[in-house]
C-alpha cells in the first residue's frame, strides 16, 4: 500500500474514542507490538496514561458501578468532562485491522487470559487535534 504509515515496534500510539458529535470520549496510550497490512497489534499495561469521562474515573475510584452508568447517560446527552486516569488491573492486547469496523481485545491477568472483547468502532483516522498521553 502506498502512502500508508506503519508504526515502529515500541512506539506509543493513542487511539481516541470520538463521540458522534466529534468530542473525544476517551484515549489510552498503547505500545505497538506489530504493524502490518494485516493489523496493528498494540498492548496496554497497568499504569498507562488515559483520559476518560470524569464520572467513569469516579466510578473506578469509588467502586460504584451506578456512577459508571451515569457516565454513559452523559455520553448520550453529549455533556461530559474528561479526567486523567491510569489503566489498571489487566494487560490488554489489541488487534485492529486497518480498514475494519471492529477491534479484538484480549485482557490478561497474572492467571492468564481473563476474557476476549470485540469492540465495534470506526476504522482508524488521523487525529485533528488533542493531547497525547505517554507511557
Amino acid at each position: 500500500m502506498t502512502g500508508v504509515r506503519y508504526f515502529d515496534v515500541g512506539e506509543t500510539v493513542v487511539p481516541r474514542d470520538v463521540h458522534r458529535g466529534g468530542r473525544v470520549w476517551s484515549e489510552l496510550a498503547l505500545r505497538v507490538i506489530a504493524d502490518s497490512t494485516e493489523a496493528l497489534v498494540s498492548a496496554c499495561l497497568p499504569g498507562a496514561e488515559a483520559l476518560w469521562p470524569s464520572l467513569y474515573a469516579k466510578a473506578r475510584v469509588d467502586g460504584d458501578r451506578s456512577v459508571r452508568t451515569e457516565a454513559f447517560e452523559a455520553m448520550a446527552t453529549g455533556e461530559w468532562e474528561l479526567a486523567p486516569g491510569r489503566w489498571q488491573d489487566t494487560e490488554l492486547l489489541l488487534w485492529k485491522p486497518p480498514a475494519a469496523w471492529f477491534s479484538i481485545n484480549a485482557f490478561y491477568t497474572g492467571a492468564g487470559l481473563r476474557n476476549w472483547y470485540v469492540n465495534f468502532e470506526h476504522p482508524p483516522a488521523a487525529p485533528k487535534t488533542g493531547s497525547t498521553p505517554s507511557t
Side-chain angles (χ1 to χ4, degrees):
M1 296 175 129
T2 307
V4 174
R5 182 206 188 267
Y6 292 100
F7 296 104
D8 295 327
V9 171
E11 189 173 349
T12 298
V13 294
V14 183
R16 291 172 177 89
D17 294 317
V18 179
H19 187 268
R20 67 179 174 266
R23 288 189 61 204
V24 173
W25 170 253
S26 68
E27 55 184 48
L28 179 62
L30 303 172
R31 194 69 73 199
V32 173
I33 304 299
D35 193 11
S36 70
T37 57
E38 289 184 26
L40 171 63
V41 181
S42 55
C44 184
L45 298 176
E49 291 183 35
L51 282 176
W52 40 46
S54 57
L55 287 170
Y56 176 78
K58 181 175 176 16
R60 290 195 58 88
V61 169
D62 296 349
D64 184 353
R65 292 189 62 83
S66 67
V67 177
R68 185 176 178 181
T69 301
E70 290 177 40
F72 291 113
E73 290 170 1
M75 181 171 71
T77 65
E79 305 275 332
W80 68 85
E81 300 298 323
L82 293 177
R86 298 263 177 195
W87 188 258
Q88 302 171 5
D89 304 328
T90 61
E91 296 173 359
L92 166 65
L93 186 64
L94 189 147
W95 183 78
K96 174 70 177 170
W101 286 75
F102 66 89
S103 64
I104 298 177
N105 303 259
F107 296 87
Y108 294 86
T109 65
L113 179 65
R114 187 187 82 179
N115 65 285
W116 291 97
Y117 179 82
V118 176
N119 194 58
F120 296 98
E121 58 196 56
H122 286 272
K128 295 178 181 129
T129 61
S131 63
T132 304
S134 60
T135 55

